[in-house]
Amino acid sequence: MHKLNLLIVDDHPLFRKGIISVIKDALIFEKIFEASTIKEVFDLLKKEKIDFITLDLNLPDGDGINIIEKIDYEQNIPILVITTYNSQILSRDVLKKGAKGYIAKENISDNLIDAINTILRGGNYLDATAEMLDKNSESSTELYFTLTKAEKAIFKMIAEGKTSKEIAFDTGRSVKTIENQRGAIMKKLNLKNETELVKLALKLDIIDL
């Protein structure tokens, strides 16, 4: 197999170096590129041939789900999600959206090479520890990434303090539809009230105080 070009997407330089240290002796990749934002990813893809991407989901200018969906549709580059969120629901969701694998950051020293090789052979790879989790133990932070694009937009507007009537006007939907979506988002994220929703939005850097 000819050597390939890898793109590591993560906003923490030390973690990007950690990935490089794990894979350097495997001699899989000829060139390794790095990006810390969604913008940098797409700027780099215009200039370089990329054969494989490792991707963190929580990036400064958005969440990595946007990268997965766009690349899966336009370029079909295999993506391995590497994230701090050890989640059964999220791991299965990113595969549905087009990623080829999912591992927790805490497990890269044990699983990264195996995951890459499995994906390059045409398979999918799910972190075994994520698969063993009870779905009822999933945190709201992890579950946020399973929301649809429309749900994320409404989540942000709720966190910004907009009323259902204001959100309905902004989105062109009925107030009743927005009320139903509010309830569905709260249920999906296991949130009891909007105070918890605002705290989650702050934690994910979706809004500022």
Side-chain angles (χ1 to χ4, degrees), residues 4-177:
L4 308 170
N5 294 338
L6 168 68
L7 172 58
I8 301 171
V9 186
D10 195 290
D11 61 331
H12 296 95
L14 285 177
F15 186 75
R16 296 198 301 267
K17 288 180 181 178
I19 292 178
I20 292 170
S21 70
V22 171
I23 65 174
K24 64 181 180 181
D25 293 331
L27 303 177
I28 300 170
F29 299 105
E30 183 174 16
K31 294 182 181 178
I32 298 175
F33 300 92
E34 301 179 44
S36 59
T37 66
I38 294 173
K39 182 181 184 304
E40 287 178 6
V41 170
F42 290 109
D43 285 348
L44 199 148
L45 288 174
K46 292 174 185 176
K47 298 182 291 185
E48 304 290 348
K49 180 183 181 297
I50 302 298
D51 302 292
F52 196 97
I53 297 173
T54 66
L55 173 68
D56 187 16
L57 293 179
N58 204 4
L59 299 168
D61 54 345
D63 71 70
I65 297 294
N66 297 330
I67 295 176
I68 295 172
E69 292 175 328
K70 188 169 183 178
I71 288 178
D72 181 58
Y73 178 74
E74 294 183 356
Q75 295 172 282
N76 199 30
I77 301 169
I79 296 174
L80 171 62
V81 171
I82 304 177
T83 178
T84 55
Y85 309 120
N86 201 353
S87 162
Q88 181 189 101
I89 294 174
L90 181 56
S91 66
R92 294 178 180 179
D93 189 66
V94 296
L95 261 66
K96 287 179 183 177
K97 287 182 167 64
K100 301 302 181 185
Y102 179 103
I103 59 176
K105 285 186 174 182
E106 63 191 46
N107 297 327
I108 65 162
S109 59
D110 296 324
N111 297 342
L112 182 56
I113 299 301
D114 187 28
I116 291 171
N117 284 328
T118 298
I119 294 167
L120 289 175
R121 288 194 298 266
N124 291 335
Y125 189 95
L126 283 180
D127 195 316
T129 56
E131 281 294 280
M132 290 187 292
L133 290 174
D134 181 348
K135 66 180 181 179
N136 294 322
S137 69
E138 305 278 357
S139 78
S140 298
T141 305
E142 294 155 351
L143 294 172
Y144 167 79
F145 293 98
T146 69
L147 297 179
T148 65
K149 189 174 182 179
E151 286 172 334
K152 287 173 182 172
I154 292 172
F155 173 94
K156 184 175 186 291
M157 287 187 275
I158 295 171
E160 290 170 339
K162 291 188 176 182
T163 65
S164 293
K165 187 175 181 180
E166 290 171 327
I167 297 172
F169 179 81
D170 289 345
T171 60
R173 300 173 187 175
S174 70
V175 174
K176 184 177 180 181
T177 296

